[in-house]
Amino acid sequence: MTIELVKPALEHLPSYVDALQRGWSPDNVQPEVTAREHLAAIAADPLAFVESLDDPEAKGPALTLPDGTTVPRLPGYRRFIWDGEVAGSIGFRWQEGTSALPSHVLGHIGYAIVPWKRGRGYATRALALMLDQARARGLDYVEITAQPDNVASHKVILANGGMLLERFLEDAAYGGAESLRFRVNL
């Protein structure tokens, strides 16, 4: 089985929509809200939706955090984890000229695998591929956060050279929950 990261395109949308309709979401913070928003955006303008997932120059609109606060968009993009169909999604964001992130950004990389393909190494492989892209951007490191009880994600990060940095409280915009911050040196 070949796992690759593909830039979202119209040809991938039927598989993406299927995953959303089956209850999966690319967002671990507000999964149901994001799935509904993505389905509505795809129905309204599929091409605009696809284009919105690739914004390395941060030209898109400001982002609204879970508490309603708006913040400037960082450069970034999302890739579909692909094995012939959407197996998940992985996103990468950064600030130009530094490896650091603003406090309201939980990490450089976030990923989510469809439930019916979990436990098969998809996230580990996808993260390795995305780390190559982070290296190409010239970052010294990336940080990835995970909930304390998300042991599967901890294993994925550690398998890719991650080290646990700290237990911390997430920014108030996300509700201030306890989380773990890992760092992968590049």
Side-chain angles (χ1 to χ4, degrees), residues 3-155:
I3 299 167
E4 59 184 326
L5 302 185
V6 298
K7 182 177 178 180
L10 291 175
E11 67 196 53
H12 305 122
L13 283 185
S15 181
Y16 188 72
V17 167
D18 179 62
L20 293 170
Q21 290 175 336
R22 291 173 69 182
W24 171 78
S25 176
D27 184 357
N28 297 318
V29 177
Q30 294 184 295
E32 296 85 11
V33 171
T34 299
R36 280 194 308 273
E37 288 175 350
H38 283 202
L39 287 168
I42 292 165
D45 190 340
L47 184 57
F49 174 78
V50 166
E51 290 174 347
S52 75
L53 299 178
D54 192 66
D55 192 6
E57 296 174 4
K59 292 181 177 180
L63 297 175
T64 302
L65 301 179
D67 71 349
T69 304
T70 58
V71 295
R73 179 177 296 274
L74 291 180
Y77 52 82
R78 184 158 292 283
R79 297 293 181 253
F80 292 151
I81 301 167
W82 189 261
D83 68 353
E85 63 183 13
V86 170
S89 170
I90 187 166
F92 172 46
R93 57 200 162 257
W94 65 90
Q95 285 194 111
E96 291 296 337
T98 179
S99 295
L101 291 171
S103 64
H104 66 270
V105 179
L106 293 179
H108 291 90
I109 298 173
Y111 48 85
I113 305 299
V114 296
W116 49 95
K117 296 193 180 196
R118 290 182 185 153
R120 297 187 202 171
Y122 282 80
T124 301
R125 178 70 180 138
L127 180 55
L129 293 169
M130 191 59 85
L131 290 172
D132 289 341
Q133 295 182 31
R135 282 183 195 92
R137 287 256 167 220
L139 296 180
D140 296 321
Y141 63 85
V142 295
E143 292 182 350
I144 306 167
T145 61
Q147 297 299 310
D149 62 350
N150 189 346
V151 175
S153 193
H154 305 169
K155 289 178 181 178

